[in-house]
Amino acid sequence: MRFRLRRAAAAAVGLVVLAGMAACGGSGGDTSDYGPYSGKPSPSDFDQKPSKARGMLVESLRLGEHIMYATDIDPEIGMGRGGGVFADRLGLGLGDSVISAPETRAANGHDPLAAFGAMAASKSYADYAAGKPQKFLATSLVEFPDEAAASAAAADMDRADFEANADNVPVAVDAFPAAISHWRPGIPTLGSTMAYKSLVIRVYVQSLDPDLGTLVDMVTRSYRRQIDLLANYTPTPSADLPKLQLDPDKLLPRMVLTDDPMPTAMKFAVWGVHAYSALLDSPAEDAKANAEHGINTVAVSYNKRLFKMRDATAAKNYAGYLDGQPGDTEYMPIRGVSGLPDVACRQLSKPSKNLEARRFRCVMFRGEYVATVYSNTDIDLRQLAGAQYSVMGGTV
């Protein structure tokens, strides 16, 4: 199960150990060797002052809890292709979101407040690169200050994307007259944008054959499902965004601080299980498994993750699952941390250019928490893991 945040693809979810920010050693009479790390919970003042940037991140993650999974539309579209938060204080990001660059520029003219997207396909990357036809679905939710802004944004976004290719022609989606859609005849894709209250729903679908009826049906069912999932979503008034807290339950302080505690989706944030699962390899299957394991919340802090579990029993069981997933030959067991039997460590079985920042890994449980930590060296890993285990038992 891999957590793939779109903006963090190159950084492998920020899994790089940056130890210089932490205090040295343990506290009091603790003689454990934590190296440069602190065994105490870290400060949590990042939520104390009003911040629109933090509020936009929190609102985007709230949207993610209502994003649909592609398998809701077609069971064959079950392979996650990334996505995530693509809004910040500068607007929607260019080049790494689930909407096109022209749409992004158009949306930014209407003061977007939050955005979350998810993509999935029926074929693996390798099969797609080999030229095998695939089904594909990308869904994005973009929040604006009010319904008028959303309506104007939807029209401008579609117009910008439509004008990007002279072959585009308009398409009607009869079940949703407000939807603005277009395709290129003979190409098995269809893009559609629709304002829904103060949100814009953007759907992009690809089928195996250039059949317009099939494409329109996919879009129609996508809108229906997405609207159903938004039924209990209440946008935060724009004036209240700066008041939103990233971590009201104080999960992030329960991880060793290895870099600036700057709220960022893929480096320092707290995720709900639905949004977190949307970015895994098999979103629907992983969401079901995560629910069965008893995961309540997932906190991401650079080279660490913390899972808040249903209870201590669920934590112990999930730690065992993470340490020895069936068929996981990527990591081999290595010596753990002396005196801490609830910490299990592993090393990559063979070198990998893409995962060097994850060469070593430890999984641990304590109380109702499970944590994973990564490092490039075994010595640093054990120091970090020891500190992390200590932090998990501290008072925040």
Side-chain angles (χ1 to χ4, degrees), residues 17-83:
V17 175
L18 299 172
M21 297 298 297
C24 294
S27 59
D30 189 353
T31 59
S32 299
D33 178 14
Y34 299 152
Y37 305 108
S38 171
K40 294 181 178 181
S42 59
S44 57
D45 55 358
F46 50 82
D47 267 341
Q48 292 180 2
K49 295 181 180 180
S51 168
K52 183 179 179 180
R54 184 190 67 230
M56 291 179 68
L57 170 59
V58 175
E59 190 78 345
S60 296
L61 291 170
R62 289 186 64 233
L63 272 179
E65 288 300 292
H66 299 267
I67 198 80
M68 73 174 183
Y69 294 158
T71 46
D72 294 343
I73 309 306
D74 187 332
E76 294 183 1
I77 311 179
M79 297 185 181
R81 287 289 183 83

Side-chain angles (χ1 to χ4, degrees), residues 61 67 113 236 280:
L61 291 170
I67 198 80
L113 303 178
T236 302
L280 298 177

Side-chain angles (χ1 to χ4, degrees), residues 101-166:
E103 290 173 301
T104 297
R105 287 188 284 266
N108 282 339
H110 298 277
D111 191 21
L113 303 178
F116 193 97
M119 300 178 286
S122 62
K123 298 291 184 183
S124 66
Y125 282 108
D127 286 342
Y128 179 63
K132 296 181 180 180
Q134 68 170 354
K135 298 177 183 179
F136 183 86
L137 193 154
T139 308
S140 60
L141 302 173
V142 186
E143 186 173 320
F144 293 90
D146 51 45
E147 293 187 17
S151 180
D156 286 351
M157 289 167 67
D158 181 82
R159 184 183 305 111
D161 196 61
F162 183 90
E163 294 175 352
N165 193 301

